[in-house]
Amino acid sequence: EVIAIIGSTGSGKSTVVNLLPRFFDITCGKLTIDQISIKDIPLNRLRSLIGFVPQQASLFSGTIRSNIAYGATNATDEQIQRAARIAQAEEFIETLEDRYEALVEQSGNNFSGGQKQRLSIARAIIREPRIFIFDDSFSALDFKTDLALRKALKEEIKDSTVFIVAQRIGTIMDADKIIVLQEGKMVGYGKHKELLESCDVYKEIALSQLDEEEV
């Protein structure tokens, strides 16, 4: 499934997804993957199951190829190109003189925010993890690229669980399930249309971003 998490700044969206790879631990309750507590899964194994893409894309000095393949050191050219295609990075890579051998400066300073995000997403895709976490990773993308990326993810990554943290309603409205957070509490859970009727917080966010016809 594709599970979206939405809420205002400070509502706890990133906190929730940071619990999954155990960047910090839960203090009560239980968090499980396939009914197994994540505390019972060796940390290296746990993190190998997860492809985590933070909001601030992190690139390294090297080439586009080495940055994408960082997630899978034995990746073939075909796997690298597939990951770039799904991440909607292929379009701008093909315009570069050296294509996948094009140089990336430290922190990716020679690329735009949206291009860095797409390369960072391609790096997660090539690992073929069981669980994807996109922590506001589409924020620098224009709406057309955002839509194309989400469509490609849904078609190409059917066997993975996908968590999308976002502040843009347009990014998450077609998710299988949407979790609405407010001040660290879940105040809504369901599909877009259900939440418009049952969750005032969600409806308020939707109307602040879209006109009533779009909603």
Side-chain angles (χ1 to χ4, degrees):
E1 287 186 309
V2 176
I3 310 294
I5 304 174
I6 194 167
S8 58
T9 302
S11 61
K13 302 185 300 295
S14 293
T15 300
V16 169
V17 293
N18 282 330
L19 292 171
L20 272 168
R22 290 186 69 186
F23 291 153
F24 48 86
D25 277 325
I26 56 173
T27 53
C28 62
K30 191 173 12 174
L31 182 54
T32 65
I33 297 175
D34 293 338
Q35 288 77 55
I36 301 170
S37 169
I38 63 168
K39 290 186 176 181
D40 294 333
I41 303 173
L43 196 57
N44 285 348
R45 170 65 180 151
L46 174 67
R47 291 180 178 171
S48 74
L49 299 174
I50 298 170
F52 194 104
V53 186
Q55 181 178 4
Q56 297 298 325
S58 177
L59 299 183
F60 314 103
S61 54
T63 63
I64 285 178
R65 179 186 304 279
S66 65
N67 266 272
I68 294 176
Y70 184 80
T73 49
N74 297 319
T76 64
D77 287 351
E78 188 178 336
Q79 289 171 314
I80 290 168
Q81 289 165 17
R82 175 180 178 271
R85 185 169 62 253
I86 296 170
Q88 308 304 303
E90 186 179 61
E91 184 180 348
F92 78 82
I93 292 172
E94 293 294 336
T95 66
L96 302 172
E97 185 178 345
D98 295 322
R99 298 173 68 238
Y100 288 88
E101 302 306 324
L103 292 178
V104 178
E105 295 176 3
Q106 185 65 39
S107 301
N109 290 333
N110 53 329
F111 292 99
S112 70
Q115 289 170 338
K116 287 192 284 188
Q117 278 190 339
R118 282 178 275 175
L119 291 175
S120 188
I121 290 166
R123 181 193 299 152
I125 289 169
I126 202 169
R127 294 180 58 223
E128 298 184 348
R130 295 272 308 281
I131 300 167
F132 284 93
I133 300 173
F134 298 104
D135 188 2
D136 214 7
S137 319
F138 304 163
S139 57
L141 305 180
D142 60 70
F143 284 103
K144 182 182 175 185
T145 304
D146 182 339
L147 180 63
L149 175 52
R150 284 182 288 111
K151 184 181 177 188
L153 283 172
K154 206 156 192 174
E155 290 173 356
E156 300 272 357
I157 307 175
K158 296 186 180 76
D159 298 327
S160 297
T161 298
V162 180
F163 289 95
I164 299 177
V165 173
Q167 296 191 49
R168 257 183 353 204
I169 284 281
T171 298
I172 58 99
M173 59 196 298
D174 60 350
D176 297 307
K177 295 286 192 309
I178 301 168
I179 296 169
V180 186
L181 295 181
Q182 184 180 40
E183 296 179 1
K185 305 284 186 185
M186 186 170 75
V187 296
Y189 180 67
K191 290 182 174 290
H192 172 71
K193 286 185 178 178
E194 296 167 356
L195 290 169
L196 286 174
E197 295 177 3
S198 65
C199 180
D200 290 339
V201 173
Y202 186 80
K203 187 174 182 180
E204 190 177 320
I205 295 170
L207 289 173
S208 71
Q209 296 180 18
L210 308 169
D211 61 38
E212 288 206 34
E213 189 177 332
E214 287 177 303
V215 168

